[in-house]
Each structure stands twice: as structure tokens, then as C-alpha cells.
Amino acid sequence: MSKKQRKTLIRILSSAALLVVFHFLPIEDLHRVFQVLIYLIPYLIVGYDVVLGAFKKIKSGDFLDEEFLMMIATIGAMAIGDYPEATAVMLFYQLGELFQSIAVGKSRKSIAAMMDICPDEAIVLRDGKEEVVDPSEVKVGETVLVKPGEKVPIDGIVVSGSSTLNTAALTGESLPVDVSAGSKIYSGSINLTSAIQVMTTTAYENSTVARILELVENSTDKKARSEKFITRFAHYYTPIVVILAVLIVAGCALFTDMGIAKSIYRGLIFLVVSCPCALVVSVPLSFFGGIGAASRRGILVKGSNYLEALADIDTVVFDKTGTITRGSFAVDAVHPNEIDADILIDIAALAESRSHHPVAESIVAAHGKHIDSSRLGDVEELSGRGLRAVIDNMNYYVGNGKLMEEIHADFHECHLPGTVVHVARDTSSGSEYLGHIVINDELKPDSKDAIADLRRAGVKEVVMLTGDNENVAKKVASEVGIDTYFAGLLPAHKVDKLEGLLGENRHVAFVGDGINDAPVLTRADVGIAMGALGSDAAIEAADVVLMDDRLPKIAEAVRIARKTLRIVKENIIFSLLVKVAVMVLGALGIVGMRFAVFGDVGVLILAILNSVRAMRVPKK
Ligand code: ADP
Ligand code: MG
């Protein structure tokens, strides 16, 4: 409990104690003025801030909120001589507020716990000496020392030492990961066993930690439709309720023999009951809880609106390379055309050395030798096809069959299964075909299960889009159990296919690694990015980021979203039903003020407890 919450609790308890004491004293025998003065003490102890808040808002003009309702209701109760009532009403209201702030604090804390990945300092090795600096002062390419028990401050590559890292804060997976020289590691992981030296590969601002923090800070800004519904609702609701209350007062005073004081009292009860705080509080709280639950599983949802969209998803579209497959190809064959195989690989690796496409990285890795980048001139990525590179002042093309057709190279497809990387160059007499390299990718081990699980979670159709050739696409699709696939697509065609699906009124999630599918990620109802631990484009364009690239997290995200939305709906229906019932009873004079407020706080507490359930990750 925070200091402020403890203070509120003390105020509530002391005010309640005074009420009990007053109950046994003969206060009723005193003059009215003294009665008011005496009861004002517990009333102000518990409610002074509400009254002040209401007055402040009256000055600013936009005052039709719950504090205002509470103030006129309780002052009204005082005016008609119901002194203990007025204090009791304020008491219940503050109790509800206290509950709310504790619940919100709890869910903030659970996100903060997951966010407790922020390194406070970094130890840099400069001129052989250890210097302790702020992580933001470390430059790219410097070596930092990470001692056991400390957080990795910046993304980088291990240069010496080996250790075990806990990446749970990033990925939600509790299994530690072994790293040694050459391993890529991410800021926010915790070094468990022994000291390692890490060469930084990014600046702190672009490191995983900084990006996650930024994401989460922004995530609660984007409001879900149901939250907007509440705001809009309150806007119309409050004036309507005030008008109804006036009508009730007028109706009772004119058409019954209740007298003016009782009529006003009836109207006031109606006002107090009408306060929609259960809704206003519990809906955002549920979304907050859902986002928290997801982040604890390494699923970052960038806003409650995306959680809402996820719950409705019926179609999931996958990119192939790097998403369903690992994106690390092994070279199966090199088929040169009248040149040396080594030279062919050399050229391909040199051309690919600046690209971050999985095909490129694999070819560079397979080549394995030193790359003499002084031979390399301009490189132009031709997305979905390959690239054009100037090597030794000559124009080379490296890419798929589509690219070869474009440059009218005299190429042929390979009889071997796999992704074929063709190489050609410009000569004075047109394109000269130099041969091709056949590479193959592996499925991620859990792709097949993840897709089956998505179907179990209620997703109706799973589709695969790829820029790769038909043979590879067909094989991968059948191996993981996807029935609809489209091959040979350029990035723009992927957007067209997705729009086709959206046009059929489907709710579509697209899952990609962000490498030349950023437009598709943006266009889908929910863009889910793999490779959060790598590609900036993905993190930017996506609505949901899977920190550990594991596909089973998608079904999990859908389950969390559905559960959250179910809780939101339960709360809306439940509190509106109770509200309307109590309002009718209050207007008819069947229930009094105390019951009304008690009912209200009761609903609020139940709704809050219900929303807290959203923080727990649902089981399968
Ligand atoms: P996917 O849809 O499977 O993720 P992309 O759209 O990224 O694939 O690329 C489609 C195809 O374009 C690849 O299968 C490959 O044949 C070719 N390609 C793309 N980039 C490169 C590159 N840098 N080098 C060689 N070929 C490439
Ligand atoms: Mg791709």
C-alpha cells in the first residue's frame, strides 16, 4: 500500500469510528446547528478532497463527474437532516476509490516487475581499465564487462568468457540460455554464472531494453474501443441523469404529498446511485491486466485496442521465411555456369554482405571467409527478389527467378528442391548468367504445433504468404499443416492478398519477421512481429511483438485477449444491470441512500476483483 492509500484508509477508519461513537451519544437532542457542526467533522475527515475536487471542477466548467455527484448528494443529505447518512455515503465512496487505486497499483506493479530489466550502469573496458558509466554513454563497438548477477546493459556479441543468461524478462521463458564467444545477447537478460565481455552492437537507445520500455510506456495511451465507449457514454449519461433527477424531484413534489424535502432526497438518491464508477474503473483496469499478463509471457501488446482486435481474430496469415522457418539457410549445392564454384560463392557473399535478409545472412555465413568490401560499390535491395550490387565496377544481380526474368538473363531453374539464388552480371552484350546456389531452410521446431494450437484456440483459417518459389512453399505448407498458401509474391502482392482477405470481412492477424513485410504488418487488423530481438522495422510496424520469436505465443496471446474481453463484457453487463435496478428502486423510494451507495461500492469492488482476473495468464 502506498503512503497515500494508507492515509485514505486511516481517514476512512477514523471517520467510521466517529460515526459509531456519535451513534451512542444524544446528539439528536442538540440544536440543528450543533448537529451539523458535529457531523461535519467525520464528513470532512473522509471527504474533504472530494468536495474540494468538485469545487475546483465547477470553476473549470467541466464538472459533471462522479465527485460532483457525490458532493451534491451528500450536501443534499445534510440539508434534509440526514447527517450520519451523508458521512456514510462519503465513506463508502472513498472505500471504493481506495480499492480501485490498490488494484490499479497492483497491475502497474506487475508490468513494472517485468519491466525491471533496465540496467542502471555499465562497466566499460577503456584502455584496459574498468569504467563505470551510464549505459547511454557506451559507444557502439566498445567492450563492456557483465559480471554474474548483473543485467546485460546493451545488445552485443560475447567476445570472451562463457556463461548462462536468464532471459525471462524478455521472453517469459524461464529456461536459462548458454552463451559463449560469438553469441548474440540482448540487454535486459541477467548474467547468471560468470563474467563475460561483450562488444556492443547498438547504442543504448536502440537496445532491446530501451525499445521495450518505450513500447510499454506508450501502450496504455492507445485506448480500446470499449474504453472509448465508456468516455462517450459518460458524456451523455451524466447530463441525462441530472435531468432525470430534477424530473424526479419535480414529479414527487408536484404529484405526491411527499413534501419538498423528501422529494429532493429522492432525487439525490437517484443521483448517487447513477454514478457509473464501476464501469469507468474496471474496463481500463481489465485491459491493463490483460496487457500485463501478456507481457509476463514475453508478448508485448502495444495498446488495449490491439488486445481487443486479437480477441476477434479468425484468420492468421504467416510469412514463411524467418517466421515459420528458422530463416537460417544451409547451402545444399553450388551450380556454377562456366566459372569456378568458389568465385560464384565469393561474388554472392560479397553482394549479400550488406543485406539483412535471412537469405543474405546465410550465404555470408556459408561463405565463412573474409569479405573484401573494398571491391564492393553500390548495393540496391530489390525487395522480394534479391539485389543488385556493384563489384569490381561491374553490375551483378543476385536473387530469384523473377529477378533473372526482369534482366533477361538466360537462366534455368534447378532440379533440386529449395530456394535458388541465381547470380548474373551485366555485360556489353546483355546479361550473363553465372550460375546458382541452392539453399534450404529448416522449420522452426514448434511451427506445426503452434498452428494446430491456433486452430484449437478458435482460429478458422491459417494462410501462408511467401516470396519464395512454389515448390518450397508447397513443401513447407504441407509440413506444418497449412492448407492455403501463395508463393512467388512481391511485398506489394502480399499486401494485395491480405486486403483480399480483409475484403471478405475477416479479422486478420499477420505474422511476419518485419523483413520486407512491414507494409503487411501495418495493414493487418493485428500485425504480429517475430524477430523482436532483431529487426527494428518489425518492432515499429507491428501491434504485437513476440519477444522470443516463438509461434506458440500467438495462440496464447489470442487466449489472453479473449479472456480479457470476456471479463470486460461481464463487468459492463453486470454493473449496468445492477445500476438500472437500484436506480429504479431509488426513484420509487424503495431503497434509501445508504443502500444505494453500498450497492454501488459493492458492484465496483466485484467488478475490480473480476478485472484482476485478467492479470492471470489463462491455461490452455
Ligand atoms: P518471404 O516471403 O519468404 O519472407 P521475401 O519476400 O523476403 O521472402 O523474399 C522472397 C524471395 O526473394 C526469397 O525467397 C529469395 O528467393 C529472394 N530474395 C529476397 N532477398 C534476397 C537476397 N538478399 N538475396 C537473394 N535472394 C533474395
Ligand atoms: Mg520475410
Side-chain angles (χ1 to χ4, degrees), residues 319-323 357-358 465-467 494 510 512-517:
D319 180 44
K320 178 183 74 73
T321 314
T323 304
H357 196 276
L465 304 181
T466 177
K494 291 186 184 172
F510 177 78
D513 59 0
I515 293 177
N516 73 41
D517 47 26

Side-chain angles (χ1 to χ4, degrees), residues 125 141-146 152-165 177-187 189-191 194-201:
L125 299 177
E142 284 194 297
T143 304
V144 294
L145 179 68
V146 188
V152 177
I154 298 176
D155 297 358
I157 294 173
V158 179
V159 284
S160 86
S162 58
S163 184
T164 312
L165 297 188
V177 188
D178 292 327
V179 298
S180 54
S183 313
K184 223 171 155 183
I185 64 175
Y186 302 99
S187 48
S189 1
I190 298 168
N191 185 8
S194 53
I196 46 177
Q197 292 186 9
V198 182
M199 190 185 81
T200 62
T201 52

Side-chain angles (χ1 to χ4, degrees), residues 225-428:
R225 252 181 296 141
S226 350
E227 278 185 71
K228 287 212 198 85
F229 161 78
I230 301 288
T231 323
R232 237 182 305 134
F233 172 82
H235 207 84
Y236 293 108
Y237 180 81
T238 316
I240 289 179
V241 166
V242 172
I243 291 169
L244 278 179
V246 172
L247 288 180
I248 287 173
V249 174
C252 289
L254 293 178
F255 303 112
T256 70
D257 49 7
M258 280 167 60
I260 189 74
K262 277 216 162 119
S263 304
I264 290 179
Y265 186 65
R266 180 84 48 97
L268 291 173
I269 292 179
F270 182 81
L271 274 185
V272 176
V273 201
S274 64
C275 159
C277 24
L279 277 188
V280 175
V281 171
S282 73
V283 171
L285 188 66
S286 308
F287 278 109
F288 209 61
I291 291 180
S295 61
R296 255 177 291 129
R297 297 293 300 145
I299 304 161
L300 287 182
V301 181
K302 285 196 192 171
S304 26
N305 49 337
Y306 302 121
L307 207 59
E308 199 171 11
L310 255 183
D312 285 339
I313 289 305
D314 53 32
T315 305
V316 178
V317 180
F318 284 94
D319 180 44
K320 178 183 74 73
T321 314
T323 304
I324 293 180
T325 64
R326 284 175 185 278
S328 63
F329 297 79
V331 171
D332 277 3
V334 182
H335 294 160
N337 199 18
E338 295 172 10
I339 59 167
D340 222 42
D342 283 348
I343 295 178
L344 184 68
I345 283 260
D346 255 7
I347 288 171
L350 192 51
E352 300 278 19
S353 62
R354 281 197 211 140
S355 164
H356 295 295
H357 196 276
V359 167
E361 290 183 345
S362 311
I363 288 186
V364 173
H367 171 256
K369 281 176 272 181
H370 173 72
I371 285 179
D372 178 10
S373 41
S374 65
R375 293 172 59 197
L376 188 61
D378 216 28
V379 179
E380 183 190 4
E381 293 250 9
L382 308 162
S383 70
R385 291 160 294 166
L387 44 80
R388 181 187 65 84
V390 176
I391 298 171
D392 302 333
N393 298 319
M394 263 183 293
N395 240 337
Y396 284 85
Y397 293 89
V398 182
N400 57 14
K402 257 206 181 86
L403 180 62
M404 293 297 114
E405 279 165 20
E406 272 172 41
I407 59 164
H408 307 293
D410 182 20
F411 79 107
H412 55 270
E413 282 303 348
C414 192
H415 59 282
L416 291 175
T419 304
V420 186
V421 179
H422 300 278
V423 182
R425 74 173 157 207
D426 275 343
T427 65
S428 50

